[in-house]
């Protein structure tokens, strides 16, 4: 089977201007709120994606390694507990951890297809080409869709395992998270499959904060990259270097907050959205939350959304959890 793959091979559910409209909407809503916010998805242009790959290799940033270790240790048990004809991965990105699940599911039963879901054509093409070389007999499908709002459009063939890895669910605000889980439960339906989700677990701030504020300053550069994106895409005039990277542990909410703090007073113009905003000295722009979870608490949250937990597994040090659930 050829590994050649083009955008024409992707099933597109996103309108051609989806990303541009989404960026404008998020900027208008977030920069005019109090406090100012931006969602973390806008870190990831080509530069931002490269910076995040560097972050995953840093000694302080344990989540990627811990999740991979959990998969290496427990993929066979997970697949045995949730055999599937289709593995569907939401926010698939590079699909680097996917072979661990594909191999285990192929051993556990009649795995027939893999469906990658992402908003990025380039990520989908890269992931599909890499997997095609490893799994020439597997039906590899790529879907460009916004899984937060377009779950109902995704393929429904056979018994499915829907995987949502990387701890990305921690970027959702609590209300949005429960709404997403309920919609996913409706999408799966009882007896139609399982949901595998990766969650970073609550631990000491002495381990959490350095993971988001490394000594080399890579995360700081990554955080500021959202301003570069706004400058490039919206004609904004942010002085990127005039913002300080901040990472703090919010004990009450049990999440890490990444912020950009203005080091001086600034007046910023964003002509593409006809917006001008002011920053006071020391004012924060929140760019990410990364919620950390407790195993029992997340099980209860899944229960509230209509799921029953099938099993939970962690890396050897208990830093990161993989939870398999099925619709009740």
């Amino acid at each position: 089977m050829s590994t050649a793959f083009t955008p024409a091979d992707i099933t597109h559910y996103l309108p051609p201007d989806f990303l541009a409209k989404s960026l404008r909407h998020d900027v208008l809503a977030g920069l005019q709120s109090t406090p100012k916010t931006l969602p973390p998805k806008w870190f990831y242009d080509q530069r931002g994606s490269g910076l995040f790959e560097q972050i995953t290799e840093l000694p302080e940033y344990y989540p990627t390694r811990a999740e991979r270790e959990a998969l290496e240790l427990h993929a066979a048990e997970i697949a045995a507990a949730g055999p599937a004809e289709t593995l569907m991965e939401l926010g698939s990105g590079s699909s680097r951890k996917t072979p661990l699940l594909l191999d285990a599911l192929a051993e556990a039963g009649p795995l027939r297809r893999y469906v990658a879901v992402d908003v990025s054509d380039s990520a989908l093409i890269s992931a599909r080409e890499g997997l095609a070389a490893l799994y020439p007999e597997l039906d590899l499908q790529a879907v460009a869709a916004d899984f937060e709002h377009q779950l109902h459009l995704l393929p429904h063939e056979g018994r499915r395992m829907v995987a949502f890895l990387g701890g990305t669910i921690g970027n959702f605000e609590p209300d949005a998270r429960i709404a997403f889980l309920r919609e996913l439960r409706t999408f799966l339906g009882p007896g139609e499959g399982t949901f595998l989700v990766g969650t970073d677990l609550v631990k000491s701030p002495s381990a959490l904060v350095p993971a988001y504020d490394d000594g080399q300053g890579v995360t700081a550069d990554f955080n500021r990259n959202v301003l570069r994106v706004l400058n490039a895409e919206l004609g904004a005039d942010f002085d990127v270097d005039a913002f300080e990277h901040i990472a703090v542990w919010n004990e009450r909410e049990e999440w890490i907050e990444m912020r950009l703090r203005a080091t001086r007073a600034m007046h910023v113009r964003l002509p593409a959205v006809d917006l001008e905003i002011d920053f006071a000295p020391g004012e924060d722009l929140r760019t990410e939350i990364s919620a950390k979870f407790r195993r029992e608490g997340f099980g209860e949250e899944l229960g509230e959304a209509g799921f029953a937990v099938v099993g939970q597994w962690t890396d050897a040090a208990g830093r990161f959890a993989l939870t398999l659930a099925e619709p009740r």
Side-chain angles (χ1 to χ4, degrees):
M1 182 183 295
S2 171
T3 59
F5 197 60
T6 72
D9 299 300
I10 299 171
T11 301
H12 284 92
Y13 291 120
L14 300 173
D17 57 353
F18 170 78
L19 290 176
K21 280 189 173 180
S22 296
L23 175 61
R24 292 171 188 230
H25 172 272
D26 290 345
V27 165
L28 284 170
L31 293 186
Q32 295 183 98
S33 66
T34 304
K36 295 180 176 71
T37 64
L38 286 171
K41 61 186 175 183
W42 301 117
F43 291 135
Y44 297 95
D45 62 352
Q46 184 174 3
R47 177 175 179 164
S49 296
L51 286 168
F52 184 71
E53 289 301 317
Q54 292 181 45
I55 287 170
T56 65
E57 301 296 327
L58 294 170
E60 298 97 328
Y61 193 79
Y62 64 85
T64 300
R65 292 187 296 275
E67 183 178 46
R68 183 175 184 88
E69 180 185 320
L71 283 167
E72 290 171 343
L73 290 171
H74 304 295
E77 298 166 67
I78 292 167
E85 296 175 63
T86 298
L87 174 63
M88 178 180 293
E89 189 171 3
L90 305 180
S92 53
S94 63
S95 300
R96 288 187 177 179
K97 291 174 283 215
T98 307
L100 295 167
L101 276 176
L102 290 175
D103 290 344
L105 287 167
E107 286 289 326
L111 180 68
R112 294 187 171 91
R113 66 188 62 84
Y114 170 69
V115 180
V117 182
D118 206 291
V119 297
S120 167
D121 279 12
S122 60
L124 290 167
I125 290 170
S126 176
R128 193 273 186 184
E129 289 179 345
L131 292 174
L134 296 173
Y135 304 96
E137 304 305 318
L138 197 62
D139 177 14
L140 299 173
Q141 300 179 14
V143 180
D146 176 6
F147 60 77
E148 288 187 60
H149 303 105
Q150 295 181 316
L151 278 175
H152 62 287
L153 298 175
L154 302 182
H156 285 68
E157 302 103 322
R159 181 173 172 83
R160 306 178 298 284
M161 176 185 287
V162 176
F164 193 30
L165 302 177
T168 306
I169 198 164
N171 295 144
F172 286 70
E173 296 273 2
D175 288 347
R177 188 166 67 235
I178 197 68
F180 166 72
L181 291 173
R182 285 172 175 160
E183 187 172 349
L184 182 62
R185 188 264 180 207
T186 300
F187 168 72
L188 275 172
E192 294 297 321
T194 56
F195 175 46
L196 179 67
V197 56
T199 52
D200 196 8
L201 299 177
V202 172
K203 54 187 68 67
S204 169
S206 65
L208 285 168
V209 173
Y212 296 85
D213 192 12
D214 65 277
Q216 297 179 47
V218 181
T219 311
D221 197 18
F222 174 69
N223 193 10
R224 283 190 284 263
N225 196 61
V226 72
L227 303 181
R228 298 188 190 99
V229 170
L230 269 54
N231 286 350
E233 299 297 326
L234 302 178
D237 59 359
F238 281 97
D239 181 351
V240 175
D241 294 331
F243 285 84
E244 179 185 8
H245 166 68
I246 303 292
V248 296
W249 171 241
N250 184 323
E251 186 173 2
R252 182 173 67 86
E253 300 289 354
E254 293 193 324
W255 65 41
I256 287 283
E257 293 185 12
M258 287 213 316
R259 308 173 186 168
L260 291 170
R261 180 167 295 166
T263 59
R264 59 176 174 81
M266 278 176 271
H267 182 76
V268 180
R269 300 169 182 83
L270 299 92
V273 289
D274 193 25
L275 179 65
E276 297 188 15
I277 55 172
D278 291 303
F279 283 87
E283 182 178 357
D284 286 351
L285 165 63
R286 195 184 75 185
T287 53
E288 180 177 279
I289 64 166
S290 183
K292 308 307 172 185
F293 297 88
R294 299 179 187 273
R295 293 175 63 178
E296 289 185 3
F298 187 61
E300 292 171 359
E301 196 167 323
L302 286 166
E304 184 181 346
F307 284 94
V309 173
V310 176
Q312 287 185 316
W313 300 266
T314 73
D315 62 302
R319 298 169 296 175
F320 198 100
L322 295 167
T323 303
L324 187 70
E326 60 185 6
R328 286 204 303 257

